[in-house]
Amino acid sequence: MQVIVVLLRGTILAKKITTVYFCQQCGYETSKWLGQCPGCREWNSFVEETVSVSAGKKHGSATGNGLTSEVVPLNQVSVQKENKISTGIAELDRVLGGGIVEGSMTLVGGDPGIGKSTLLLQTCRNLSEAGVDVLYVSGEESKVQIKLRADRIGEFSDTMTLLCETNLDTISDVIRQKKPKVVIIDSIQTMYNEAVSSAPGSVSQVRETTAVLLQIAKGQGISIFIVGHVTKDGSVAGPRVLEHMVDTVLYFEGDRHASYRVLRGVKNRFGSTDEIGVFEMREDGLAQVANPSEFMLEGRPEDASGSIVTCSMEGTRPLLVEIQALVCQSNFGIPRRQANGTDFNRVNLLMAVLEKKCGIRLGDCDAYLNITGGFKISEPAIDLGMVLAILSSFRNKALPHDMIAFGEVGLSGEVRNVSMARQRVAEAKKLGFKTCVVPKSCAAECSKVEGINVVSVFNVEDAFNKVF
């Protein structure tokens, strides 16, 4: 450890410079390198950083204005509907839980070029048209670059202001002076705090910068959106503690070469998690997809074996997707198995259940399974759909085009109950489906939906006999 003494106007300031190691996953701090993090048990996640802390430095209060926080009884805190601001984008409001909550902090992550900045810029335009003061802080683009991108979206009012800056102290002063209702920080990895000596984007910089912005949001009642870069595995770059600090975490998913985008809420203190909003990328920005089920089923082939529609619940929204399977005899000693959009191991498990309970020999067959539209679904309710798609391809027999199936399949071959079954059947009826294959345990609930034939099955063998 080194101690540097600086003489400034007759005052001696002591600055401690030390080298510490931070875990990139959870932010665990240690004085020496460790192979495995004691906090999150991740291997090889520690990075070395040099941190200097000025002696006698005082941290600001949570209110951000030096005032002492007051203790208030909980039953005296008033909550009004006006505390939520509509973004003017129904799909975004749905994921946020009804709108932007006053004093909240939202983290938006996604791959480069996926449309994060475009979505937030469209949100700023709608808010400014509604008379809401918005401050857009960019650390990656100049004002001219932002203007060129904004011209594709439309006209902006005077309540939308820009600030191209990366110094957190300058940004904090502008926010306290202008007092906007909503602030966009694009991106958090480019901001730096002069009190921390490490480089922008490092673990300590991201953590301390977010902490300062969080104090401003809670103390001043300003809603702040921060854009976060993602790593190769799709998680937000920086310490994992970043996602714990914010109120809402949104991930923008989808292939940037395709037209659709999916905004998924993985954490929300003011609404349900796993809620999704679907958008389509166009020349003039992102357009909302009001009915994603219909959008995902466009171009579905008729009278094709190995194809079936299933229903997955994304938060409170039922989403119909097509499952395609291709099963053929293998030309190699070890059959190939590939799954796109769902868990590969789950597909192997379901094929093993079919071999054991239905006596169908799949051990020498190649199997390929795909969920169309690029969606990644892990809900076990699509098990029955995958089983029927595999059987349809194996027997080379097309399933009825107006049939839908959902249900969880257990290791004993039983088809188990799923949540919100009635909502799934109602969504299928709305899109014109005539038959719905459901678990027997939820058949009574599904039968309340009129105008659709409900076929209840007890296990995979029962489904095999009733469907084929």
Side-chain angles (χ1 to χ4, degrees):
M1 181 182 296
Q2 297 175 325
V3 179
I4 299 178
V5 180
V6 181
L7 182 62
L8 178 62
R9 293 184 181 179
T11 305
I12 297 180
L13 301 176
K15 206 180 249 191
K16 295 181 179 180
I17 300 178
T18 182
T19 298
V20 295
Y21 293 87
F22 288 100
C23 174
Q24 293 178 299
Q25 298 295 327
C26 66
Y28 186 89
E29 180 179 344
T30 180
S31 59
K32 61 181 181 179
W33 186 87
L34 300 175
Q36 185 182 35
C37 175
C40 62
R41 317 302 297 177
E42 189 74 18
W43 286 94
N44 300 323
S45 61
F46 280 95
V47 292
E48 180 182 5
E49 293 185 11
T50 302
V51 179
S52 63
V53 182
S54 300
K57 181 177 178 60
K58 297 181 180 180
H59 295 280
S61 63
T63 58
N65 52 15
L67 300 178
T68 305
S69 302
E70 297 180 357
V71 179
V72 181
L74 180 61
N75 56 8
Q76 296 183 10
V77 178
S78 60
V79 179
Q80 301 176 355
K81 293 183 178 179
E82 289 76 12
N83 290 341
K84 285 190 176 182
I85 306 172
S86 175
T87 63
I89 304 176
E91 293 293 302
L92 179 57
D93 286 341
R94 180 189 186 95
V95 180
L96 290 175
I100 304 173
V101 178
E102 180 181 331
S104 64
M105 176 171 280
T106 303
L107 172 64
V108 182
D111 295 331
I114 202 70
K116 303 183 297 296
S117 300
T118 301
L119 176 64
L120 293 176
L121 204 57
Q122 289 183 221
T123 303
C124 292
R125 179 177 181 270
N126 295 339
L127 293 174
S128 62
E129 287 183 346
V132 179
D133 293 332
V134 182
L135 175 62
Y136 192 99
V137 182
S138 177
E140 299 179 346
E141 297 177 287
S142 65
K143 296 178 182 179
V144 176
Q145 291 174 322
I146 298 175
K147 175 62 177 175
L148 292 173
R149 187 154 47 87
D151 288 340
R152 296 188 295 109
I153 299 175
E155 297 291 334
F156 286 75
S157 64
D158 295 338
T159 56
M160 165 70 177
T161 55
L162 292 176
L163 175 63
C164 296
E165 182 60 61
T166 58
N167 191 324
L168 184 63
D169 294 334
T170 303
I171 296 172
S172 302
D173 294 339
V174 172
I175 294 176
R176 292 190 176 98
Q177 180 183 359
K178 299 292 184 180
K179 296 187 183 302
K181 282 289 185 180
V182 179
V183 176
I184 311 294
I185 304 294
D186 188 10
S187 66
I188 191 64
Q189 277 81 12
T190 61
M191 305 298 159
Y192 72 93
N193 190 346
E194 291 183 342
V196 182
S197 63
S198 57
S202 60
V203 174
S204 55
Q205 278 285 6
V206 171
R207 183 179 59 185
E208 295 301 324
T209 301
T210 305
V212 173
L213 293 174
L214 184 63
Q215 291 177 354
I216 296 175
K218 303 303 180 184
Q220 303 288 339
I222 299 174
S223 302
I224 299 179
F225 285 79
I226 58 177
V227 177
H229 296 165
V230 295
T231 58
K232 292 181 179 179
D233 59 355
S235 60
V236 177
R240 197 70 177 181
V241 71
L242 176 63
E243 299 186 14
H244 294 280
M245 296 172 65
V246 300
D247 299 307
T248 307
V249 180
L250 308 180
Y251 276 94
F252 218 23
E253 304 173 352
D255 187 357
R256 64 177 179 176
H257 301 294
S259 61
Y260 65 89
R261 302 288 189 272
V262 179
L263 182 66
R264 187 184 303 273
V266 298
K267 173 188 177 182
N268 194 348
R269 291 173 178 165
F270 314 111
S272 61
T273 57
D274 289 328
E275 200 73 61
I276 67 166
V278 183
F279 299 86
E280 182 182 5
M281 179 62 76
R282 298 179 181 175
E283 293 181 357
D284 56 347
L286 291 166
Q288 304 179 67
V289 179
N291 193 339
S293 297
E294 183 179 3
F295 179 75
M296 293 299 158
L297 295 179
E298 287 183 356
R300 181 184 170 217
E302 297 185 8
D303 298 329
S305 63
S307 173
I308 193 173
V309 175
T310 187
C311 185
S312 174
M313 293 300 300
E314 299 290 343
T316 59
R317 165 180 281 175
L319 182 65
L320 300 185
V321 294
E322 180 190 1
I323 297 179
Q324 294 180 335
L326 178 62
V327 179
C328 56
Q329 290 294 323
S330 177
N331 295 324
F332 304 97
I334 301 177
R336 291 191 62 186
R337 305 286 169 83
Q338 184 174 340
N340 185 23
T342 188
D343 187 14
F344 166 78
N345 295 320
R346 189 72 180 175
V347 176
N348 285 334
L349 183 147
L350 294 176
M351 295 182 68
V353 172
L354 287 176
E355 287 204 41
K356 181 72 174 181
K357 300 301 177 181
C358 297
I360 300 176
R361 293 180 56 85
L362 297 172
D364 56 348
C365 293
D366 294 335
Y368 307 91
L369 193 138
N370 175 48
I371 296 180
T372 61
F375 272 90
K376 296 180 180 179
I377 300 177
S378 58
E379 188 187 20
I382 67 172
D383 287 352
L384 184 58
M386 290 192 291
V387 166
L388 293 179
I390 293 172
L391 289 173
S392 172
S393 179
F394 179 78
R395 299 193 61 184
N396 197 25
K397 183 178 181 181
L399 296 170
H401 192 263
D402 58 353
M403 187 179 72
I404 181 177
F406 60 85
E408 180 183 357
V409 177
L411 292 180
S412 299
E414 77 278 10
V415 181
R416 307 177 69 91
N417 191 10
V418 297
S419 62
M420 305 178 73
R422 184 176 179 180
Q423 288 84 338
R424 301 173 197 255
V425 177
E427 179 71 11
K429 177 190 173 183
K430 186 172 66 174
L431 292 180
F433 287 88
K434 303 299 183 183
T435 305
C436 189
V437 183
V438 302
K440 188 175 183 180
S441 55
C442 62
E445 179 185 0
C446 297
S447 299
K448 297 178 182 179
V449 181
E450 299 179 355
I452 188 170
N453 180 30
V454 176
V455 178
S456 62
V457 295
F458 177 73
N459 52 28
V460 293
E461 188 176 2
D462 187 21
F464 176 80
N465 294 328
K466 290 183 176 180
V467 174
F468 293 94

